[in-house]
Amino acid sequence: MQTVSLEHEINPWEAQAARFDFAAKKLNLNEGLWKMLRYPEREIIVHIPVMMDDGNIEVYTGFRVQHSVARGPGKGGVRYSPEVTLDEVRALASWMTWKCAVANIPFGGAKGGVVCDPKKMSLGELERMTRRYTSQLIEFIGPEKDVLAPDMNTNEQVMAWIMDTYSMHMRQTVTSVVTGKPLSIGGSRGRREATGRGLRIMCNQALRYLNMQRDGCRVIVQGFGNVGSHAARLLMEEGYRIVGIAEIDGALYNPNGIDVHALLEYRERNSTILGYKGAEAADTDELLLAECEILIPAATENVITSRNAERIQARILCEGSNGPTTAVADDILADKRVFVIPDILANAGGVIASYFEWVQDRQGYFWKEQVVNENMEAIMVESFDSVLRYAEAHGVHNRIAACMLAIDRVAFTIQQRGIYA
Ligand code: NAD
């Protein structure tokens, strides 16, 4: 891959496009399909007026990008952050297309975001912004068009507001317009910890594939939010040793293993992991480079770049977050023979459980948690095997194999449907 500046390296859209182009070339993808799939089908920009608590009107910019709806309705989260950009939302929407195709579930890919700082907004301001954002998207979303979900800084409450606003416009309750809702209004059992559970399944599969021992296998997790904390807890319960946990304001390290249950209780009481007595304080960035068998980034994008990839010591990189590794870093990790379980495979547990939530809402019949977990595990194991088979057959690393598998599936569907003109 050619040399690129760090600015280009960390642009999520360029990172996505670099992998897409490489995988499409390997697949010998028809040029027209290549052009169709390289760019999103639809990009919506809205300017959202919100009446603030002090009586002034503030206007926020929001996006919804639908990359592909060839295999089913768009599916993807909504993030609230001051750093949201259209390029980022585009990249995340494309990743959703590929992720749903790797898992072979009947969804396309979409993503949304609003440029705002939710930490500086009251609950009432957040609710009014969410409802107005939803109403401005009303004709573009819906159970058969585009299904929304939580992402960074959005949660079950935000999903409940979106569901309610959509339902008011439709004049009937439509629970399946969003996933990740509270259980009492059509959420699914098992959804909350599904991404972490999926990561555990992927780690188990990788160890089996690489013939490595599970007991005492050292794991470092970056990000102790929804994905990272559930992954750390579930892995510890299965015999893995969680030696490091990195958060945005500092990290913890204990070569003998961190008791994740105790740390969760500590965080509940203190709202931070810092100061926890069962581990030494460590530097967040340095912890990624410490000795371990498995590294799980579960925080944010671009944490493994050309600047630090060479110094990663993990044997397995299991990507909980979306886009944690840049395309340049991919090549460095491949040279070091790090076994990468790419984001569009590793963190698919969340969207698979969301698919089950959508199915249950439409059936009006809700499954036991065990049924959700077992069905999710079956899909994840099959997806892992399919990606590994692709990697072996085409002589490519796992990320490119996952992209190739996904592009192949989406392109096949488009060809079967034909081009409407
Ligand atoms: P979250 O907000 O619950 O947790 C993220 C955590 O990472 C927070 O505790 C935050 O303080 C920490 N963090 C942020 N920047 C950091 C940094 N530079 N170093 C260390 N820690 C940092 O979010 P989440 O739902 O756990 O999502 C995490 C990632 O996983 C995101 O990339 C998201 O898109 C992806 N993802 C989430 C799901 C899901 O089901 N929640 C599914 C698939 C992918």
Side-chain angles (χ1 to χ4, degrees):
M1 218 164 270
Q2 84 266 37
T3 319
V4 289
S5 68
L6 189 65
E7 188 197 338
H8 286 289
E9 185 186 339
I10 63 172
N11 178 312
W13 172 250
E14 291 187 26
Q16 188 285 135
R19 272 76 166 249
F20 172 78
D21 287 343
F22 191 83
K25 195 166 172 205
K26 274 265 167 202
L27 271 177
N28 221 355
L29 185 71
N30 165 287
E31 202 185 322
L33 289 169
W34 188 325
K35 283 191 227 160
M36 271 184 82
L37 288 173
R38 199 172 193 278
Y39 299 100
E41 282 178 20
R42 182 186 269 156
E43 302 179 349
I44 306 153
I45 302 178
V46 290
H47 298 288
I48 313 158
V50 179
M51 182 66 76
M52 306 304 277
D53 291 347
D54 63 8
N56 289 317
I57 297 169
E58 192 57 72
V59 180
Y60 296 92
T61 301
F63 309 108
R64 186 74 190 168
V65 175
Q66 293 161 350
H67 172 259
S68 168
V69 292
R71 286 172 49 91
K75 181 83 192 80
V78 183
R79 65 173 53 172
Y80 290 170
S81 158
E83 271 99 48
V84 170
T85 63
L86 185 55
D87 261 1
E88 179 188 41
V89 179
R90 272 189 191 129
L92 289 161
S94 317
W95 275 320
M96 286 305 295
T97 302
W98 311 135
K99 193 183 298 185
C100 293
V102 167
N104 217 356
I105 56 177
F107 282 131
K111 202 81 179 189
V114 180
V115 189
C116 66
D117 189 350
K119 290 191 191 78
K120 294 189 178 145
M121 296 169 73
S122 71
L123 203 62
E125 289 167 346
L126 268 180
E127 176 173 353
R128 292 193 289 280
M129 184 185 79
T130 302
R131 288 186 182 278
R132 183 71 187 228
Y133 171 66
T134 309
S135 74
Q136 287 181 256
L137 292 178
I138 209 82
E139 64 264 51
F140 303 110
I141 61 174
E144 309 296 336
K145 291 182 181 174
D146 185 359
V147 180
L148 291 73
D151 194 77
M152 233 176 255
N153 294 324
T154 54
N155 54 21
E156 292 184 1
Q157 177 59 75
V158 174
M159 293 308 111
W161 291 328
I162 295 176
M163 188 281 266
D164 183 69
T165 308
Y166 185 81
S167 298
M168 290 297 131
H169 281 260
M170 295 301 133
R171 299 283 186 258
Q172 61 184 11
T173 297
V174 187
T175 53
S176 50
V177 63
V178 290
T179 59
K181 300 178 289 293
L183 269 185
S184 56
I185 51 168
S188 174
R189 293 184 180 85
R191 170 63 186 91
R192 206 175 281 164
E193 60 180 39
T195 309
R197 187 175 290 281
L199 291 173
R200 179 175 76 173
I201 296 165
M202 291 297 93
C203 291
N204 289 346
Q205 291 303 111
L207 292 190
R208 193 168 307 143
Y209 181 80
L210 298 169
N211 228 341
M212 289 166 65
Q213 287 297 319
R214 184 190 305 172
D215 277 343
C217 174
R218 293 168 302 173
V219 181
I220 291 175
V221 180
Q222 184 204 35
F224 201 57
N226 177 303
V227 177
S229 68
H230 286 302
R233 178 179 60 76
L234 291 163
L235 285 165
M236 183 191 75
E237 289 170 0
E238 193 135 307
Y240 290 82
R241 191 166 4 129
I242 312 301
V243 295
I245 293 180
E247 251 299 330
I248 193 153
D249 48 357
L252 298 172
Y253 180 72
N254 182 346
N256 300 316
I258 297 170
D259 179 344
V260 181
H261 292 141
L263 181 61
L264 281 166
E265 276 173 31
Y266 178 88
R267 210 257 312 261
E268 183 69 28
R269 282 196 310 275
N270 300 284
S271 307
T272 174
I273 63 167
L274 303 190
Y276 172 68
K277 293 281 177 276
E280 296 162 22
D283 179 81
T284 290
D285 295 337
E286 289 301 313
L287 189 67
L288 294 187
L289 312 174
E291 251 187 54
C292 64
E293 278 72 43
I294 304 181
L295 175 61
I296 303 184
T300 184
E301 287 128 49
N302 298 322
V303 292
I304 302 170
T305 68
S306 54
R307 304 279 165 101
N308 63 2
E310 193 56 56
R311 287 176 292 146
I312 297 280
Q313 299 196 57
R315 173 74 182 93
I316 298 168
L317 176 67
C318 183
E319 296 182 339
S321 44
N322 288 311
T325 311
T326 65
V328 183
D330 270 348
D331 290 350
I332 301 171
L333 296 178
D335 287 346
K336 285 166 60 76
R337 303 185 60 76
V338 176
F339 185 85
V340 176
I341 313 175
D343 46 8
I344 57 173
L345 169 65
N347 70 32
V351 76
I352 295 168
S354 283
Y355 164 50
F356 297 153
E357 182 173 331
W358 179 76
V359 168
Q360 292 170 77
D361 286 341
R362 286 155 32 116
Q363 284 180 328
Y365 176 74
F366 290 87
W367 310 351
K368 289 191 167 57
E369 185 167 346
Q370 195 189 346
V371 177
V372 173
N373 293 345
E374 283 173 3
N375 286 341
M376 196 257 276
E377 177 149 5
I379 294 182
M380 295 238 32
V381 169
E382 198 181 322
S383 307
F384 180 91
D385 290 345
S386 304
V387 169
L388 267 287
R389 272 201 305 275
Y390 239 85
E392 283 164 12
H394 294 271
V396 291
H397 57 68
N398 295 345
R399 188 185 317 279
I400 295 300
C403 288
M404 289 172 73
L405 170 66
I407 294 170
D408 209 6
R409 283 182 174 158
V410 180
F412 180 69
T413 309
I414 293 174
Q415 275 169 324
Q416 275 190 321
R417 290 177 62 150
I419 305 295
Y420 176 69

